[in-house]
Amino acid sequence: MSRPSFKGTAVAVLLCACGVTGCVTQQPTLYSWGNYENTIYAEYVTPEKLPPEKQIELLEQDYQQARAANKRVPPGWHAHLGYLYYQLGKLDQARQELLTEKAEFPESAIFMDRLLANLQKS
Amino acid sequence: MSIKPISLIAVCAAISGLLGGCKTVAPYDYSNYRAHPPRSILVLPPLNESLNLDGTYSYLSTVTQPVADHGYYVFPVAVVDRFLKENGMPTAGEMQQIPLDKAASILGADAVLFLTLKQYGSKYQLLNSVTTVEVQARLVDTRTATLLWSGHALKQVNPNNSGGGILASLVAAAVSQIINAKTDSAHQVSRMANVDLFEQKTVGLPYGPYSPRFNQFP
């Protein structure tokens, strides 16, 4: 009669521990999210409470925090900030953010080029 | 008499299945996805079949994070919304009619995520209230119109019993006065529903190229 090997028992215990967490795998976040989605929420649902100036302030603070933590800001973040600058008529800053989005995430190139071309006309 | 490791595993698996409260669901068939794996996903504002008028944007502002954290490029949802409105699509219903070839050629999207809110909001009763978020999702390839993935989630939370603390802790401090969990608890429940929708084992959304789990399936 053989005793169960330590290895075998360890595997069983590990499987047990994993299994108890249930049916969803919580994944680590890839980005520094800050207030990105919260500002989007506020812009639509309670716009009077968070004008574009205030949203930009929150996002720029988030950017500093992301830099300090050496994490990336999420996809779409720079384009969103650019769109806020555009709303305030700050076209140079808007253009810079759209270019940064394109550089950080090449998947955005077609859309960013279109927005940059529209910016040129305005 | 010793117990063989293999039987230990079987017992543990059975127990954890019970404790985890797993529903046995048939694994999703990912063969379409494997044939056309997208890098970028256009998340359109959801169709809102609920009675909550704020549903579309209250929910839309919770979808970027789970999809981007799955490893995809997610187009900036508010910029896309504005862009489509300025191009003759004033409502979510009209946006969801966008021809797929246009989503590819104008925006550069590999896939479009079509969302429908079946239920969204709170029902208040004398001594009780329950907040419900029910959402359906369809991910469609823009070049072939193939359905790459679909999912469904129904989350119900009773803030009086269990969810009050959970809801409050989900609200980021910087905007806690703006986002009032009491008046829009569905917004908070959305994030829980999204965990079920995107991360459920064997049926969730596969991992995209920016994820360390790229090419893995839930």
Side-chain angles (χ1 to χ4, degrees):
Chain A
M1 191 163 302
S2 66
R3 289 181 57 225
S5 68
F6 173 72
K7 218 172 170 181
T9 314
V11 166
V13 168
L14 202 68
L15 276 177
C16 225
C18 295
V20 174
T21 56
C23 302
V24 292
T25 346
Q26 277 287 6
Q27 58 192 335
T29 180
L30 303 180
Y31 305 99
S32 180
W33 284 93
N35 288 292
Y36 175 48
E37 289 204 298
N38 287 330
T39 56
I40 293 170
Y41 175 89
E43 178 174 319
Y44 284 114
V45 182
T46 52
E48 68 289 349
K49 292 190 182 170
L50 205 66
E53 294 88 341
K54 183 69 186 160
Q55 293 183 49
I56 288 172
E57 195 184 313
L58 285 171
L59 291 176
E60 294 282 15
Q61 282 170 14
D62 287 346
Y63 190 66
Q64 296 309 321
Q65 285 190 4
R67 290 289 292 268
N70 203 21
K71 291 200 90 172
R72 298 179 84 183
V73 290
W77 190 96
H78 283 286
H80 184 76
L81 182 60
Y83 154 69
L84 292 170
Y85 277 125
Y86 168 78
Q87 287 181 305
L88 296 184
K90 297 186 173 178
L91 301 189
D92 283 342
Q93 280 149 297
R95 185 173 300 114
Q96 190 52 54
E97 293 301 330
L98 298 180
L99 288 168
T100 307
E101 177 78 22
K102 186 176 153 182
E104 292 278 320
F105 293 100
E107 297 87 350
S108 70
I110 291 174
F111 188 36
M112 291 306 109
D113 284 345
R114 191 167 292 278
L115 296 179
L116 284 161
N118 289 350
L119 208 58
Q120 208 70 39
K121 290 178 218 149
S122 61
Chain B
M1 172 104 188
S2 66
I3 306 165
K4 289 211 176 90
I6 192 76
S7 51
L8 256 179
I9 293 173
V11 168
C12 279
I15 291 172
S16 59
L18 288 173
L19 289 178
C22 286
K23 283 175 291 184
T24 341
V25 279
Y28 193 83
D29 176 2
Y30 291 109
S31 43
N32 285 350
Y33 180 94
R34 287 176 207 270
H36 311 280
R39 288 190 64 85
S40 62
I41 294 181
L42 178 69
V43 177
L44 290 176
L47 283 183
N48 183 9
E49 295 180 355
S50 81
L51 300 174
N52 185 332
L53 294 179
D54 286 333
T56 290
Y57 293 104
S58 173
Y59 179 70
L60 179 65
S61 57
T62 68
V63 185
T64 304
Q65 179 165 358
V67 180
D69 276 341
H70 261 74
Y72 299 97
Y73 178 76
V74 177
F75 290 84
V77 291
V79 183
V80 166
D81 177 69
R82 171 77 171 258
F83 180 81
L84 295 178
K85 280 176 177 158
E86 287 176 358
N87 284 279
M89 291 169 247
T91 66
E94 281 148 304
M95 291 177 199
Q96 293 210 359
Q97 301 291 319
I98 187 172
L100 291 169
D101 60 329
K102 289 259 163 62
S105 63
I106 295 179
L107 295 155
D110 295 337
V112 179
L113 185 63
F114 295 96
L115 299 158
T116 302
L117 294 173
K118 309 299 283 184
Q119 297 183 72
Y120 197 86
S122 302
K123 280 202 177 87
Y124 297 96
Q125 293 155 342
L126 186 57
L127 296 172
N128 225 336
S129 74
V130 65
T131 302
T132 304
V133 172
E134 183 180 11
V135 59
Q136 280 179 345
R138 287 167 55 245
L139 184 68
V140 178
D141 182 49
T142 55
R143 279 154 190 93
T144 63
T146 312
L147 179 67
L148 303 179
W149 172 79
S150 67
H152 171 261
L154 169 61
K155 194 80 188 174
Q156 292 194 300
V157 172
N158 181 337
N160 296 342
N161 289 350
S162 56
I166 299 168
L167 293 186
S169 67
L170 283 171
V171 182
V175 281
S176 58
Q177 290 92 351
I178 298 160
I179 296 173
N180 187 338
K182 280 203 171 118
T183 57
D184 191 6
S185 51
H187 180 70
Q188 311 306 326
V189 174
S190 292
R191 297 205 176 272
M192 303 179 202
N194 287 343
V195 172
D196 290 354
L197 179 64
F198 295 115
E199 295 179 27
Q200 192 153 332
K201 281 175 190 164
T202 77
V203 297
L205 181 65
Y207 298 99
Y210 287 105
S211 171
R213 300 185 205 171
F214 181 39
N215 275 335
Q216 291 180 32
F217 290 79

